[in-house]
Amino acid sequence: MTEGITKSATGIEGFDDLTLGGLPTGRPTLVCGSAGCGKTLFASTFLFNGARLHDEPGVFVTFEERPVDIVANVDSLGFDLQGLIDQSRIHIEHIEIDPAEVAEIGDYDLEALFLRLEFAVDQIGAKRIVLDTIESLFSAFSNPAILRAEIRRLFDWLKQKGLTAVITGERGDGSLTRQGLEEYVSDCVILLDHRVDNQISTRRLRIVKYRGTAHGTNEYPFLIDEDGFSVLPVSSLGLGHKVFDDRISTGVPDLDAMLTGGGFYRGSSILLTGVAGSGKSSLACMMANAACERGERALYLSFEESEAQTVRNMKSIGTDLGKWLKDGQLRYIATRPTFYSLEMHLAIMLREIGRFKPQLVVLDPISAFTGSADISEVQTMLLRIVDYLKSNGVTAVFTHLANVQQAETDAGLSSLMDGWILLLNREANGEFNRELYLLKARGIAHSNQVREFVMSSSGIHLLEPYLGEGGALTGSARRNEEARARRTEATRRSEVARLQDQVTQRRRRALAQIEALKADIDADEAELNRLVSAETHYLQQSRDDAAALARGRGMEAPSGKTRQD
Amino acid sequence: MSQASNEPVKLVLYVAGETPKSLAAIRNLEKICSEHLAGKYKVEVVDLKKQPQLAREHGIVAIPTLVKELPVPIRKIIGDLSDTQKVLVHLSVEG
């Protein structure tokens, strides 16, 4: 019916992107995989979305499960299959064969199956059909030759009817399906896989074959959760990253100050490395908090701490993340690294980022992954996430637990990062002190100082560096040095005061001496005056006496008076 | 195997049009019935081409299918019934 590549969207998140539109319209597609890998769900999602979103009614032909079970199974994923059945947009045809009550005597064919399918298809005008799983017929009928011929005829019939079909098949040893259904279906073959590595299961999807169209050939992780079936294409997107000129605050004013102009560029990837307890998570939370304060959305992906724990811990340094969580600006997702495989983690992260559309994403810590997987795989995963975030202009904050104080990550991420803050916790003189160093900040002039990093109830502060004689000092060494300096200063000051005092005293003494001398002079003068006055008095007295004598002697007086002179 | 002495055997043969297999089955069934179940059987032939909903109703997949509805238990035989003995054994009726 359709030549070329008309496609029917499956509505499965990610899958339609991967196949550039969906499954080939009017052709059968084989979906194969081992038990429990999601074949039936893939098929029912395809059918459900066709009926619901694309106005393409569908027939679900089940050879195994009962219709009620199928409805119940997808009900938990929010698919109202029963509603569509009631509207005659989906029909479930249950083909039940109990080999125990059937005997085969002579020649037969499956014409009745065809008639039933045709009847069902015509009844609701179906455009889509699912056969789940046709291989059950092989256990019901003992004549494989007849069966193979009939299945071939069935596929021809499906094509001729122009039905977009999904046929599921159980994975066989060394072949895609146990009964080699792939030989009948040559248009599109999808392989679902469910692998367990290191006790972690990963579902993967691979398009083995898709005739007449370009498609991704990688294995893509897929997910079955409360939102149904989603394929998560995780491809490297090259370096077409968005570039921003605006700066965003780190939430720590002192750190912004170290980055001249205030903070990192938007869309940067910032790595925070440090040993245990060096304040990585706290700093990351401050960045998330700053984003929320700017009115942006932040996504916090934690692999170690739970939401409640982080909120509590951040309260102790004066930051309330609870309110952001409440009003939906901050989303906190905590998962154990071992809960999923790496790819699945990546896929889920990308999906959450795609849904929540945050401006800032925190991954805390990325080193949690290195325990559960191969280093090169971790690197690939992180490269992909960095790529993804950059190309979407999302600022990324990664924390990384380093076992040793070194400017290197075992995840080999250093070169990917635009900004790198090294948090140290160094032992000196019997105590540990937190320090922060801006190792790298692409495109931003930044301080080269190692600052002391102090967390208190008023937040995070970076103390001005104390540049003593022996280099920058921190902690009690710093306090010691400061105290010593204070002491020296005090001594110096008191010395000055003492000298000043001395001078004043000396001056006072000199002045006193001057006073004393002055007093002497005054005394001498007084003495002199006294002598002079005494002399005067004496002379007067003597003159008076002489005059009196003269008067007493009469005429002799003048001679006597003369003698006396 | 004499439980069906007074109860008639009710047989339904599902066919689809006049295909050689269907015709062979009808022929074989008539022969078996007249030779082995004379007088105590009822045969109904259903053409699913005309009534496809009956295939769904009765869970018929292969053509031709012979269903023994009575006496219980229900038995199904698919094929053109070319082996009389096998048919009789499987129907659990008097051979």
Side-chain angles (χ1 to χ4, degrees):
Chain A
M1 183 177 131
T2 34
E3 268 309 310
I5 38 161
T6 321
K7 290 177 186 172
S8 298
T10 58
I12 292 172
E13 201 178 325
F15 183 80
D16 294 340
D17 300 331
L18 205 62
T19 50
L20 312 170
L23 297 176
T25 304
R27 286 160 182 272
T29 295
L30 176 66
V31 177
C32 46
S34 46
C37 71
K39 301 183 293 291
T40 304
L41 187 62
F42 182 96
S44 33
T45 310
F46 157 78
L47 208 66
F48 178 78
N49 285 329
R52 194 175 53 117
L53 305 172
H54 304 286
D55 196 26
E56 292 191 357
V59 173
F60 195 109
V61 184
T62 169
F63 294 91
E64 286 173 346
E65 283 181 286
R66 292 176 305 145
V68 282
D69 293 335
I70 290 169
V71 171
N73 290 350
V74 296
D75 195 47
S76 61
L77 303 171
F79 292 179
D80 181 18
L81 207 55
Q82 191 58 50
L84 289 170
I85 292 171
D86 295 344
Q87 295 168 36
S88 292
R89 289 159 77 186
I90 281 186
H91 173 76
I92 302 183
E93 183 76 28
H94 187 198
I95 310 281
E96 193 183 20
I97 306 140
D98 182 1
E101 65 172 27
V102 174
E104 293 174 23
I105 301 168
D107 198 12
Y108 61 92
D109 58 37
L110 300 183
E111 186 62 29
L113 174 66
F114 284 75
L115 290 170
R116 281 173 75 172
L117 298 188
E118 186 154 28
F119 181 62
V121 166
D122 292 345
Q123 203 175 23
I124 61 166
K127 298 266 192 304
R128 298 185 177 199
I129 190 165
V130 167
L131 302 171
D132 180 45
T133 149
I134 199 159
E135 279 180 319
S136 308
L137 289 177
F138 283 90
S139 60
F141 297 103
S142 58
N143 190 335
I146 290 178
L147 215 47
R148 287 188 183 282
E150 289 299 288
I151 288 176
R152 191 178 292 281
R153 192 158 71 94
L154 179 63
F155 288 140
D156 288 343
W157 177 81
L158 291 173
K159 277 193 196 176
Q160 186 207 322
K161 289 287 267 182
L163 289 164
T164 308
V166 168
I167 295 109
T168 65
E170 195 93 352
R171 186 97 192 252
D173 290 330
S175 65
L176 290 175
T177 58
R178 249 181 233 166
Q179 304 298 340
L181 288 178
E182 56 271 29
E183 72 179 88
Y184 308 111
V185 183
S186 51
D187 295 293
C188 183
V189 178
I190 292 160
L191 181 63
L192 303 181
D193 187 23
H194 191 185
R195 247 176 280 170
V196 180
D197 272 338
N198 276 341
Q199 299 155 26
I200 298 169
S201 86
T202 312
R203 297 171 191 275
R204 290 186 176 88
L205 176 146
R206 185 160 71 93
I207 300 166
V208 179
K209 177 165 160 182
Y210 196 155
R211 208 169 259 185
T213 182
H215 62 85
T217 52
N218 294 337
E219 279 192 319
Y220 301 93
F222 71 91
L223 193 61
I224 296 172
D225 62 4
E226 65 272 21
D227 303 308
F229 196 108
S230 39
V231 183
L232 311 137
V234 203
S235 48
S236 188
L237 299 146
L239 293 169
H241 303 148
K242 283 190 205 165
V243 173
F244 294 87
D245 283 330
D246 63 322
R247 300 281 196 85
I248 52 166
S249 166
T250 57
V252 179
D254 296 335
L255 182 56
D256 291 344
M258 285 177 82
L259 295 152
T260 46
F264 287 100
Y265 284 115
R266 179 180 297 284
S268 293
S269 299
I270 303 152
L271 179 65
L272 310 175
T273 57
V275 291
S278 56
K280 301 179 296 295
S281 300
S282 302
L283 191 55
C285 283
M286 293 305 277
M287 293 190 182
N289 184 56
C292 292
E293 274 173 356
R294 286 192 297 272
E296 299 172 357
R297 281 184 304 279
L299 179 64
Y300 200 104
L301 300 159
S302 169
F303 307 108
E304 278 175 357
E305 281 183 289
S306 71
E307 177 176 325
Q309 200 181 351
T310 302
V311 170
R312 183 201 63 195
N313 294 349
M314 288 308 288
K315 261 194 191 131
S316 73
I317 59 167
T319 301
D320 181 18
L321 292 178
K323 62 175 184 228
W324 306 125
L325 286 164
K326 210 177 288 167
D327 71 13
Q329 269 183 270
L330 178 65
R331 200 158 136 61
Y332 195 101
I333 301 172
T335 28
R336 279 265 156 218
T338 46
F339 195 66
Y340 299 120
S341 70
L342 273 184
E343 269 172 326
M344 197 52 90
H345 268 293
L346 173 65
I348 290 169
M349 286 189 268
L350 295 191
R351 195 178 66 167
E352 290 300 333
I353 293 163
R355 285 185 185 168
F356 188 59
K357 301 201 189 320
Q359 279 83 24
L360 182 121
V361 172
V362 178
L363 264 76
D364 180 32
I366 52 173
S367 43
F369 292 111
T370 52
S372 64
D374 191 55
I375 294 293
S376 68
E377 284 179 37
V378 176
Q379 279 182 6
T380 319
M381 175 188 96
L382 292 170
L383 177 68
R384 284 171 171 183
I385 196 152
V386 167
D387 260 352
Y388 179 84
L389 292 173
K390 278 199 165 186
S391 58
N392 285 287
V394 179
T395 309
V397 180
F398 302 90
T399 72
H400 186 277
L401 175 71
N403 298 318
V404 278
Q405 315 260 19
Q406 58 177 7
E408 196 183 311
T409 57
D410 33 353
L413 271 179
S414 17
S415 55
L416 286 174
M417 296 294 161
D418 300 313
W420 189 352
I421 296 172
L422 196 58
L423 294 161
L424 307 170
N425 200 2
R426 271 204 285 231
E427 194 271 341
N429 307 322
E431 63 178 32
F432 278 96
N433 291 300
R434 297 194 176 92
E435 293 169 5
L436 179 146
Y437 173 55
L438 255 173
L439 197 81
K440 170 166 153 187
R442 275 183 187 151
I444 304 169
H446 56 276
S447 165
N448 67 345
Q449 282 167 340
V450 175
R451 295 286 195 93
E452 188 168 358
F453 180 87
V454 178
M455 292 190 276
S456 68
S457 55
S458 61
I460 293 177
H461 297 284
L462 302 175
L463 303 184
E464 278 297 318
Y466 187 89
L467 300 168
E469 284 153 29
L473 297 173
T474 55
S476 58
R478 168 205 189 95
R479 283 194 291 279
N480 237 333
E481 187 60 26
E482 282 172 346
R484 198 185 60 74
R486 271 198 304 277
R487 276 200 305 278
T488 317
E489 177 66 10
T491 319
R492 196 185 59 79
R493 284 224 183 112
S494 67
E495 181 65 19
V496 168
R498 197 178 60 80
L499 284 173
Q500 270 179 341
D501 231 36
Q502 248 177 16
V503 170
T504 322
Q505 292 239 341
R506 254 208 317 270
R507 187 156 159 271
R508 206 179 292 137
R509 255 205 317 278
L511 285 171
Q513 277 175 340
I514 292 169
E515 281 298 304
L517 288 172
K518 236 188 196 158
D520 279 357
I521 293 170
D522 288 350
D524 287 352
E525 258 173 23
E527 182 67 14
L528 188 65
N529 287 343
R530 201 176 50 78
L531 280 174
V532 170
S533 88
E535 182 64 16
T536 317
H537 186 70
Y538 173 80
L539 287 176
Q540 186 69 42
Q541 189 66 49
S542 61
R543 231 177 355 253
D544 289 352
D545 286 350
L549 198 61
R551 266 190 318 267
R553 280 187 193 163
M555 288 323 285
E556 290 163 66
S559 60
K561 187 184 172 183
T562 315
R563 213 174 44 216
Q564 242 187 354
D565 283 334
Chain B
M1 302 228 172
S2 54
Q3 23 92 284
S5 49
N6 43 12
E7 205 176 356
V9 178
K10 190 184 176 200
L11 299 168
V12 184
L13 181 66
Y14 295 91
V15 295
E18 302 199 334
T19 60
K21 279 180 217 121
S22 300
L23 293 175
I26 293 168
R27 241 187 354 261
N28 289 333
L29 184 62
E30 277 171 356
K31 186 166 156 259
I32 293 166
C33 290
S34 59
E35 283 175 12
H36 301 275
L37 300 164
K40 44 180 182 170
Y41 67 92
K42 255 171 80 181
V43 172
E44 188 187 344
V45 176
V46 174
D47 186 353
L48 294 177
K49 273 244 159 79
K50 292 176 184 140
Q51 294 168 288
Q53 73 280 5
L54 291 178
R56 185 189 288 172
E57 223 168 274
H58 298 283
I60 308 301
V61 176
I63 290 292
T65 298
L66 176 67
V67 179
K68 182 196 76 169
E69 290 190 343
L70 284 171
V72 285
I74 289 175
R75 287 294 170 95
K76 283 183 184 171
I77 299 173
I78 58 173
D80 59 13
L81 312 174
S82 50
D83 187 328
T84 307
Q85 283 312 308
K86 265 190 174 172
V87 173
L88 290 173
V89 167
H90 196 74
L91 289 178
S92 319
V93 293
E94 166 57 16

